[in-house]
Amino acid sequence: MTRARWIGLGILALLVALLPFVPRGGGGDDGTARRAGAHRVTPASALTAGYGRVTPAYRRAIQHVVDTGLGQGRVAPSATPRTLVDHVVRCATFEGQRYCLGQGWTDLTQTQVQRRTTSQVARQESRAGTGTTRRRTGDLSTLDALRQAARLSPQARAAAQTAELTQAARSVAKVWLLRHQIQGVPLPAGFRARHPEVRAEAVPRGRATPVGTMGRSRKHWRDYPDRGVVLDHRHVAEQHRTYWCGPTTMQMITWGWSGKKRSQQHWATKLGTTTSGSAITSMVSVVNRYTGYDKESYAGPYITLDIGDWSFSQWKLLMARHVVDYRAPVVLHPVLLTQFYPYLDHDGSGHFQVGRGYQKRDGRIPLLGYFEPWNQQRFHPDEPYISRVQWRSAYRSYRANRAHFQHNVGV
């Protein structure tokens, strides 16, 4: 046999050996891959962004928010909701995009976010006063989040806010790209020059990229395959405590990334979970820190994104892009109500789930695939069992996430 043939056989053997390690996304319920279209494309065809740098302008915006809080001094956890909101809920603007502490990226003004938060606390107190509180499954309530922040010294709170805002500033390109790709918002002039962390999109072979465009970064629902799935359906668990939906969601996400199952107590510690629950901003931070889904070859840095003004069509597109293009799960953040989830016996609180797939259906509402950590039967033996692997109406999931007063998700 000639030397050239030996080399060829060696290369073929190497390629076969590497096949099991190819990342999977878009396929059956076991997470097996399917082709996303008829055209051949180079790997990593989704347009996203890595972590950017914190510019002097960003640092000034962060410092202004933090200094404002320091100037207000201490606030008692028992203070009125309005006082707590004024001390804790503030926003910074980076390159035209607004980030609010504890809430995420939003189109609302700081005043609107503060009013919304104050109103939500009033509703929670009203329900508590009438004895109509919902079952708590582990989402940190608004009032509990405000009180936790108030218990910190001004210096400790300033450090926490600086860290949160710095992480946000480093992901502003990701925010702009999602708004451009999903909502059709034009990118600002000079965007690519200012953000070298934006990954160039691969173009199907045989096609040219028009000058001055970003390739096919604006895909449509029809461009995606009939079904997309990430994560192994066997890597699931039910939450062991009533307030551990956050740690359990994180357990399943990280299990999917590393193939290793860490305990829910481990993730409760990483999230800072208390008996009051977990915060979505902590969920996003831990995904970025302990998985590789934040790499620009996957989803880029996860962000907490307000989808309150998103249409159902945009929601579907976001789910498809995350599963097929990013090959990464979504941190869903719904309100666990019976009107959205028929398997429930009683209404619940805010909640976390693992978004991991979709299924198109001709002429009908598509299905959303997700892992459900809540099993009511574990804590209430007389109630029906709830399966971990769910395929339910994508529209109901959309409404459940928008019904949460923060209407945000981790993407």
Side-chain angles (χ1 to χ4, degrees):
M1 186 177 294
T2 66
R3 178 182 176 82
R5 293 187 66 185
W6 276 113
I7 293 174
L9 288 173
I11 292 174
L12 178 61
L14 177 61
L15 289 174
V16 171
L18 289 174
L19 279 175
F21 300 96
V22 175
R24 301 186 174 195
D29 194 61
D30 59 352
T32 54
R34 290 189 182 181
R35 293 181 63 184
H39 297 283
R40 295 180 67 193
V41 299
T42 54
S45 60
L47 181 65
T48 187
Y51 290 98
R53 69 187 185 92
V54 180
T55 67
Y58 292 175
R59 292 191 186 282
R60 288 193 294 271
I62 294 170
Q63 199 61 50
H64 174 73
V65 171
V66 174
D67 287 348
T68 301
L70 285 171
Q72 291 176 312
R74 284 188 175 274
V75 58
S78 58
T80 65
R82 178 62 181 272
T83 300
L84 288 170
V85 168
D86 287 345
H87 275 73
V88 175
V89 181
R90 287 186 301 282
C91 308
T93 301
F94 305 107
E95 200 175 333
Q97 298 291 345
R98 184 174 297 105
Y99 183 92
C100 295
L101 290 164
Q103 314 267 339
W105 295 97
T106 181
D107 286 333
L108 300 179
T109 66
Q110 175 173 294
T111 299
Q112 289 173 323
V113 172
Q114 288 177 332
R115 287 175 178 171
R116 181 182 72 178
T117 306
T118 303
S119 297
Q120 174 64 12
V121 173
R123 285 193 292 270
Q124 289 175 349
E125 290 184 323
S126 176
R127 284 197 297 266
T130 58
T132 56
T133 54
R134 296 168 177 167
R135 263 184 194 168
R136 300 286 293 274
T137 65
D139 179 34
L140 188 64
S141 77
T142 310
L143 185 57
D144 287 329
L146 293 172
R147 285 173 172 168
Q148 281 186 11
R151 291 188 184 99
L152 298 174
S153 69
Q155 291 73 25
R157 190 163 67 246
Q161 292 173 349
T162 299
E164 183 179 344
L165 291 171
T166 299
Q167 174 73 12
R170 296 189 65 201
S171 59
V172 68
K174 166 81 174 282
V175 182
W176 266 114
L177 285 174
L178 281 177
R179 295 205 187 283
H180 172 66
Q181 295 160 347
I182 308 294
Q183 296 180 292
V185 177
L187 294 172
F191 175 78
R192 287 298 292 267
R194 289 192 304 276
H195 294 285
E197 69 272 21
V198 173
R199 191 184 66 196
E201 182 180 35
V203 180
R205 294 177 184 175
R207 291 187 179 184
T209 304
V211 176
T213 70
M214 303 186 85
R216 297 180 67 250
S217 61
R218 286 205 63 202
K219 294 170 69 174
H220 302 278
W221 177 247
R222 64 178 177 270
D223 297 324
Y224 286 95
D226 290 342
R227 181 181 174 92
V229 181
V230 294
L231 305 185
D232 192 317
H233 68 284
R234 296 166 298 180
H235 293 173
V236 294
E238 63 183 45
Q239 61 190 85
H240 296 167
R241 298 185 182 181
T242 56
Y243 51 90
W244 270 6
C245 68
T248 311
T249 292
M250 195 58 55
Q251 180 185 47
M252 291 187 281
I253 289 175
T254 55
W255 194 356
W257 172 258
S258 67
K260 297 179 180 179
K261 182 182 180 182
R262 301 295 298 268
S263 72
Q264 293 175 26
Q265 178 64 68
H266 173 85
W267 294 114
T269 300
K270 298 299 183 185
L271 289 165
T273 304
T274 68
T275 54
S276 299
S278 309
I280 187 169
T281 49
S282 297
M283 297 286 291
V284 166
S285 177
V286 170
V287 171
N288 286 334
R289 185 172 181 183
Y290 293 100
T291 78
Y293 288 126
D294 65 330
K295 295 179 180 179
E296 58 187 66
S297 55
Y298 285 87
Y302 271 60
I303 60 174
T304 304
L305 183 66
D306 185 341
I307 49 90
D309 61 347
W310 286 45
S311 68
F312 178 54
S313 294
Q314 292 168 339
W315 164 267
K316 291 190 303 181
L317 195 56
L318 177 64
M319 297 299 113
R321 175 167 280 271
H322 228 275
V323 169
V324 174
D325 294 336
Y326 295 166
R327 298 163 296 144
V330 175
V331 180
L332 298 174
H333 194 205
V335 174
L336 212 55
L337 302 181
T338 55
Q339 69 183 97
F340 305 129
Y341 303 103
Y343 49 70
L344 296 172
D345 260 22
H346 300 278
D347 284 342
S349 65
H351 189 56
F352 294 110
Q353 298 163 334
V354 185
R356 43 86 67 163
Y358 69 89
Q359 172 69 62
K360 293 182 179 180
R361 300 193 294 173
D362 292 339
R364 293 185 293 169
I365 298 295
L367 299 176
L368 184 76
Y370 60 94
F371 290 157
E372 172 61 84
W374 177 250
N375 176 24
Q376 57 196 9
Q377 192 178 79
R378 184 183 184 96
F379 309 104
H380 306 278
D382 59 326
E383 297 180 5
Y385 174 82
I386 298 175
S387 174
R388 305 286 68 70
V389 180
Q390 295 286 341
W391 287 92
R392 300 280 176 169
S393 165
Y395 183 64
R396 285 190 176 184
S397 180
Y398 161 73
R399 290 183 59 205
N401 280 263
R402 286 193 63 197
H404 192 290
F405 100 96
Q406 289 183 325
H407 31 74
N408 52 24
V409 292
V411 292

